[in-house]
Structures are given as structure tokens and as C-alpha cells.
Amino acid sequence: MIGVNASIAIIVIGVIMLFIRGTADNFTLSQLVNYEAPSSTLNSSLVPLTGIPAGLISLDAVYYITLGLWVLIMTPVTVVFVAFVAYVKEKNYIYGLLSAIVLVNIFVAMLFIPGLIGN
Amino acid sequence: MITVYAAVIKFILIVVSGILGGLIGSLTGLGGGTVIVPILSLFMGVPLYFAAGAGLISSIATSAGSASAYTRERIANIKVGIGLEVSTTLGVIVGASLAVYVYTKGLEGVIYVIFGLVLLFSLIPTIRRGKYELPQELKKDRSTGIFQLVGSYFDSKMKKEIKYSGVRWWLGEIVVFVSGTLSGLLGIGGGALNVLAMDGIMNLPMKVATTTSNFMVGITAATGTSIYWYEGYIQFFIVASTAIGVLIGAFLGAKILVRISNKNIRWIFFSILSFLGAQMVLKGLNAESMLVLNDIIRLAISAVFAFVLIFSIYIVSRRKEAVARPS
């Protein structure tokens, strides 16, 4: 719940910023809002996560929304990680192993699959 | 050039769609993604892959928003959830990769058709879910012991501690692999099939199945989203506005759900869902030029289909109730 609240708060800040400044990440407001024209709209493949710190400092709306979304994505992942630690501590090795496999699957999806299928 | 004013209007429209999706999703138990994808792609002109991206984000939001409430009541079985996520996360990797393949081949009509069919078929177990019955206890099998499939929860309606044990873990794993694949392919949470696996195959009580599925959906959708992210299926403006709307809708839905005494109101939502399902199928057939009809005729066919389908299911279920409870 904390994760979701934090994430939505950051996303709302991002949206407000977008409307106040009318621009983000060198894209105009119309390029951001006109999703009907996929070729010119700003989508996630054009936003590197490594740009988050700089984007936040320069008050770029897109990076605030990005941060909010990744807080949301990492919320369930954190729950699995906490469960993994708890199972290992309890010496419940079957569930320690199962939760470790789930974590590995998630990180494979995050790190390797994009390179494998390309975009 | 678009003005800030026009952008705000668009923002409000998508937030309202999100509220509708979140509301219907929580009242029917289907979750956030399943309803928002058709609304965005059919009525808001959103390309299907952006709608699917918003669907995955909405599924994480509604799952994480209510999952903690369920675990606080200790109904969801975290062991069962994590155990099944082993194959669901694999499934979602397969499904999302398939989606990327289909979209790059320009065959999005196929995804529309599959989405519509999955939506229609998910209605069946969802409608049945109205009755909270406890499963008949089955003989424990080997997986019950190995995977510690036992648990208990306090049922507030029956006012007693319910003890339960699950069976057929391996078969459950196979079914939720499919639910993960559909989640990645369509941008939904895959909750309906998770519930079917836990309730129908593993013989867990319905309350445990729905709350555990809700816990699982967040993990599945988070895995799928990370693949969608790099493929560029996340459109910031759409996703930000739907996430906000869906959370408001789910919150309202949870409030309303406690107050609704008349269960018949659910049938209105089932009709809306079957209408959306039929629309998705027809739009997909249209896109692949397999059945070309104009918009008005498609609307009419879907409306009639939804009415006939839900009305007949309603009649059948009323009859069954009458047989079960002779006066």
C-alpha cells in the first residue's frame, strides 16, 4: 500500500508539472498527448531509466511519471524479495528456492528479454 | 499544436475511463486491466499496445492497492501465490514476447479477437463466484506435503476459523502458466484463470483463491510491464491518467461492494463486459478483414449478443437456485 501511494503521488506531481510547463524531455505537449499518432508520440522505449536523476533535477515531467511507474512496478517485486528473506531465515528451503526462482524470472524479464527480442 | 486546455480535457476523459474500469473491475472481481483495455482501445482511440500497457500498469495498481488489505486479514496464502508465480512469471515472459512478435507483424486484429474471447470466457467462472461455498475436502496428495499447501483463515461471515488443504499443485502450475501467457499477450492481470486453478484444481476455498490471485496479479503484471517498457508500449500520458483513474474506481468499488445488498446489480456489469468482449472480437475480425461490418452494425450485434447471453445465464442460474432451495 505504501508503494502504491508513493507511486501515485509521484505520478500526480508529474502530471501537474506536465500541464504547468507544457513540455517535457524536448517533446511538445501535443507529441505527449496525441497518442493516436504512435510514430511521433513519446513512448517508454525512448526514455532510458539512467536518465531519471538528471530528469528529476531538471523538473522534467516524464521522468517524474517514469519514477512513479517504476516505484509501482517494484512494489510487488519487493514483496517477493521480503518473502524470500523470510523463508531463508525460517530455513524453509523449498519456498526459499521457489521465491528465488520467481525473482530470477522477474530479473530475466527486466534485463535479458528486451535484448533478446529487440524493439 | 494542442493547447493545455485540450490536454486537460483529454486527461479527464482517460481518468474517467480509468474510474469506470476500476469500478467494474472491482465490483465483478475481474481486476483493473481486463476492463480498461477494451474501454481505451474501443472508445478512446488508443492503439491496442498502448492500451495493453495501461492495462498491465492498472493491474499492478489495483492488486497492490488491495492486496495489503487482504494479507492484513491473512486470507491470501502467500506460499501458494509464490509457488504458482514460478510458472506465471515464465508464462508472462512468453506472452509478452509473443505480443511483440504479433504487433511487429502488424497482426493486432488477432490480439483483439483473443482478448474478446478471453473476456467472454472469464465471465463464466466470475459469474459462478457469487456463491461462497467451501470445497469438499479431498484426500491429500504428495504435493500437499511437499509444498505445504495447508492453511486457515477466519471467515467473518461464518464466524469461525476455516482450515483447508490444497492438492494437485503441478496441475495448478500448468494452468497458471497459461494465465501468465494471456497476461503478457493481452495486458491483463490473468486473475480469472488463477482463481480457476486454485479453486477448481487445487481445491482451495474461493476466498483464499481470489485473495491469493489478487496478490499474484501484481507480480505477473510487473514482470510483463518491464518487457512492455523496453518495447515502448508504455505511453506516459495514457498510463499516468489511467493509473490515477483505476485506483479511484477500485476504491469506490470496494466502498460500494460493502453496501450492495442486492446481488442482481452484478448482472448489469456482466452485460457490459460481454458487450465489450463481443466488440473486441468484431473489431479484430474487422481489422483482419475477415468480417467487415460498419461501426453501427458491430455495436448492434454486440448489444444483442450481450443481452441474450447474460439474460439466458441469469435465467439458468435462477432456476438452479430454485431447484437447490425448494420452498
Side-chain angles (χ1 to χ4, degrees):
Chain A
M1 202 69 189
I2 302 167
V4 182
N5 291 341
S7 130
I8 288 298
I10 302 171
I11 291 176
V12 169
I13 294 173
V15 171
I16 294 172
M17 252 176 208
L18 181 67
F19 288 144
I20 293 177
R21 301 193 62 200
T23 174
D25 199 34
N26 302 322
F27 276 73
T28 63
L29 189 62
S30 55
Q31 281 174 308
L32 286 163
V33 175
N34 285 345
Y35 48 77
E36 297 92 342
S39 52
S40 65
T41 196
L42 175 64
N43 70 50
S44 51
S45 70
L46 306 169
V47 176
L49 298 185
T50 46
I52 291 180
L56 293 182
I57 292 167
S58 62
L59 300 182
D60 192 324
V62 163
Y63 284 101
Y64 278 84
I65 298 176
T66 301
L67 178 68
L69 291 175
W70 278 92
V71 169
L72 189 65
I73 295 169
M74 292 313 285
T75 301
V77 182
T78 312
V79 175
V80 179
F81 184 74
V82 169
F84 165 71
V85 173
Y87 288 133
V88 171
K89 268 190 187 161
E90 283 172 21
K91 296 196 166 42
N92 187 340
Y93 292 120
I94 284 201
Y95 275 92
L97 179 68
L98 290 176
S99 41
I101 297 174
V102 174
L103 288 171
V104 168
N105 287 349
I106 294 170
F107 288 112
V108 164
M110 286 180 178
L111 303 174
F112 296 111
I113 301 294
L116 215 62
I117 51 184
N119 51 12
Chain B
M1 249 331 257
I2 189 169
T3 57
V4 172
Y5 178 70
V8 172
I9 298 283
K10 230 173 181 175
F11 173 74
I12 293 172
L13 278 176
I14 304 181
V15 169
V16 170
S17 316
I19 294 179
L20 270 177
L23 191 65
I24 300 177
S26 84
L27 287 179
T28 53
L30 272 181
T34 318
V35 193
I36 195 69
V37 178
I39 295 181
L40 289 179
S41 60
L42 292 171
F43 304 113
M44 297 296 298
V46 175
L48 190 53
Y49 44 88
F50 285 158
L56 282 182
I57 292 285
S58 307
S59 301
I60 310 176
T62 47
S63 155
S66 51
S68 50
Y70 286 126
T71 38
R72 206 164 39 225
E73 289 174 46
R74 292 167 193 276
I75 297 182
N77 189 318
I78 303 300
K79 278 182 191 164
V80 171
I82 286 182
L84 292 178
E85 274 303 314
V86 168
S87 63
T88 316
T89 45
L90 278 179
V92 77
I93 291 174
V94 172
S97 310
L98 255 170
V100 174
Y101 177 80
V102 174
Y103 285 127
T104 45
K105 292 275 170 206
L107 297 170
E108 65 171 27
V110 176
I111 297 191
Y112 270 108
V113 175
I114 299 175
F115 196 109
L117 294 176
V118 168
L119 181 51
L120 292 173
F121 280 106
S122 342
L123 283 176
I124 301 166
T126 315
I127 290 174
R128 274 188 53 231
R129 203 182 296 171
K131 311 165 193 90
Y132 279 122
E133 285 169 355
L134 290 177
Q136 257 188 328
E137 193 144 345
L138 294 180
K139 199 169 164 280
K140 293 177 183 170
D141 62 14
R142 278 179 63 190
S143 68
T144 314
I146 298 175
F147 298 106
Q148 306 146 30
L149 305 177
V150 287
S152 67
Y153 69 94
F154 184 78
D155 192 306
S156 48
K157 243 181 204 158
M158 291 188 248
K159 295 207 184 331
K160 63 172 182 180
E161 190 84 3
I162 308 287
K163 287 200 172 102
Y164 61 86
S165 58
V167 294
R168 295 189 286 250
W169 189 83
W170 295 103
L171 198 57
E173 289 283 331
I174 294 170
V175 173
V176 296
F177 176 82
V178 179
S179 116
T181 309
L182 291 176
S183 164
L185 183 65
L186 308 174
I188 59 178
L193 203 52
N194 288 345
V195 171
L196 203 66
M198 284 181 273
D199 161 60
I201 294 169
M202 296 174 70
N203 204 42
L204 297 166
M206 188 53 104
K207 268 192 184 166
V208 177
T210 48
T211 50
T212 306
S213 160
N214 189 60
F215 163 74
M216 292 169 61
V217 161
I219 306 168
T220 314
T223 313
T225 308
S226 51
I227 297 175
Y228 272 40
W229 184 277
Y230 293 102
E231 294 301 324
Y233 296 167
I234 306 291
Q235 208 279 357
F236 296 94
F237 185 72
I238 299 171
V239 166
S241 19
T242 27
I244 295 169
V246 160
L247 275 178
I248 299 174
F251 178 76
L252 292 177
K255 291 271 169 210
I256 295 173
L257 205 58
V258 188
R259 295 189 180 189
I260 294 181
S261 51
N262 186 354
K263 290 276 181 215
N264 283 338
I265 202 149
R266 286 169 13 117
W267 294 99
I268 298 172
F269 298 117
F270 291 137
S271 325
I272 298 175
L273 290 171
S274 47
F275 170 76
L276 292 176
Q279 278 280 293
M280 292 296 273
V281 172
L282 292 178
K283 182 156 182 175
L285 294 176
N286 206 61
E288 298 302 318
S289 325
M290 288 170 77
L291 182 67
V292 182
L293 301 165
N294 74 35
D295 291 2
I296 312 278
I297 297 181
R298 286 208 309 250
L299 274 176
I301 295 179
S302 311
V304 171
F305 171 81
F307 180 78
V308 172
L309 177 77
I310 296 303
F311 193 70
S312 38
I313 298 178
Y314 176 73
I315 296 291
V316 170
S317 75
R318 280 298 283 268
R319 238 183 238 155
K320 264 189 198 156
E321 268 175 42
V323 172
R325 267 185 308 177
S327 50

